[in-house]
Amino acid sequence: MDCGRRWLGKRRVKAVGYSIAVLPGDGIGPEVTVAALRVLDRVAKQGGLHLELETGLIGGAGIDEAGHPFPPATEALVHRAHAVLLGAVGGPRWAKSPTSPEQGLLALRSSLGLFANIRPFEVFPGLEAASPLKKPPRRGVIVRELLGGLYFGTPRGRSTRPEAGVEAVDTARYTTLEIERVARIGFEMAERQGVPLVSVDKANVLETSRLWRETVTKMSAEFPRVELIHRYVDAAAMEMVIAPERYQVVIAENLFGDILSDLAGGLVGSLGVMGSATVRQWEPGPGLYEPIHGSAPDIAGRGISNPLGAMWSVGMMLEWSFGLPEAAQAIYTAVRQTVAEGVWTPDLGGSATTEAVTESVLNHLG
Ligand code: NAD
Ligand code: IPM
Ligand code: MN
C-alpha cells in the first residue's frame, strides 16, 4: 500500500505548511467532514505536509451559536486560511429562522470571491449497477459559475400588491467579465483533455443566456482546438441522461450548473460521492472545497452518510490549493479501491457505515 507515499520524495525538500478553515456546518456535514479530515491527515503525515486546522461556524450552527449563518469570526477565519473545507448547511430546524443557513453559504462564497465551481462526476468501477443508466458515463466535469445569476442579482425581495397578493422578485444578472472568467476555465479544461466543451444556457428565452452564448462563442476563437457545443438547458438535461458521454466538460451559469450537477449525482449512483472545488485560477491558490450534497437531514446522526464526496473534495484541495496532484491521486485511488471492494454506504445500495468506509479508505492509503 504505497500509493500515499509515491509523492513523498519530490515534496520533502522543505517543510510545507498550509492553514485550512474547517466549517462542518449542519446535518451530515460534521460526519463527512471528520471522515475527510482523517484521510487528509493520513496523507499529510505521509508527505511531511504540515496542516493547521481551525474550525468555524457556518449555517444553522452559526445561527444557533453566534446568531448568524456566516458570523464575522468565520469570515475572518476563511480569509486567513489557504483553503476552506465545508461540510453542508441547512435543515428543517431553521425553516422559520429570519436568515437561513443557506444564506450563510452564499455569503461565504461571495466573500471569498471564488467563481469557478468545479464538480467532477465519475461512475466508479464496480458501481455501474448503482447508476440508473444502461450505459453509464465514465466521467465528466461541470464547471458551474458560482457568484452570479439569480442567486445574487438585485433587486430581489417581496412586496404586497393589493390586487395580486404578494409579489416575489429575483433578478438574473451576468456581465461579460463574469462569463469570460468562468468560461476560460472550461475552455482550458476541455483543451487539456482534448474533448469538446458543452456550454449550457437558455438563450432561446433569457437575455443573460443570450449574452452567455455570445460571449462564449467569441472566446472560442482563442481556443481553436476546442470544439464548442451549445445546448439549451432543458435539452442538456435530457441528453445527459441518454448520451452522458457527450458531457465531458460542461460550463453553465449558477442555477443551471446546480441542477445539472445533482443530475450527474443521480447518473453516478449517489450525490454522496461527488466533491467540488471552487477556485479562481489554474495555479495553486485559494479554494473552497465542499461535497455537492446537502445536510441530508433524513439520515443525519445515524452514522451512515457517504463520506466519499467530502474525501474527494480534500483530494481536490491538495490538487487545486496546494499543488500536490500526486497526493490527490492517492486519495482518489483509495476511494476507487474502497468502492471496488463493495464497501458501500446505503445510498449506494450497501450496508457499510461512514466509519467502515473511512477505515477502508485509510487502509488503502497505507
Ligand atoms: P441533500 O443533498 O441534503 O439530500 C438529498 C438526498 O440525497 C437525501 O435523500 C439524502 O439522504 C441523500 N444524500 C445526500 N448526501 C448524502 C450522503 N453524503 N450520503 C448518503 N446520502 C446522501 O438535499 P436536500 O434534501 O434537498 O437538502 C437538505 C438541506 O441541505 C437543505 O437545507 C438544503 O438547502 C441543504 N443543501 C446544502 C448544500 C450545501 O451545504 N452545500 C447543498 C445542497 C443542499
Ligand atoms: C449546492 C447547494 C447550494 C446551491 C444551496 C444550499 C445554496 O444546492 O451547493 O449545490 O444552490 O449552490
Ligand atoms: Mn445543489
Side-chain angles (χ1 to χ4, degrees), residues 123 128 131-138 240-245 267:
V123 174
E128 294 81 1
S131 171
L133 302 186
K134 274 180 267 163
K135 269 180 60 192
R138 246 175 73 68
M240 273 183 77
V241 174
I242 63 160
E245 68 286 351
L267 295 183

Side-chain angles (χ1 to χ4, degrees), residues 102 105-106 109 119 144 151 258 290 292:
E102 288 81 355
L105 176 57
L106 298 182
R109 290 173 178 172
R119 298 187 154 191
R144 169 190 179 194
Y151 277 66
D258 178 44
E290 35 177 334
I292 81 155

Side-chain angles (χ1 to χ4, degrees), residues 89 102-103 105-106 109 117 119 144 146 151 254-255 257-259 261-262 276 290-294:
V89 300
E102 288 81 355
Q103 278 173 275
L105 176 57
L106 298 182
R109 290 173 178 172
N117 180 215
R119 298 187 154 191
R144 169 190 179 194
L146 205 64
Y151 277 66
N254 205 342
L255 181 63
D258 178 44
I259 296 169
S261 55
D262 267 33
S276 84
E290 35 177 334
I292 81 155
H293 63 72

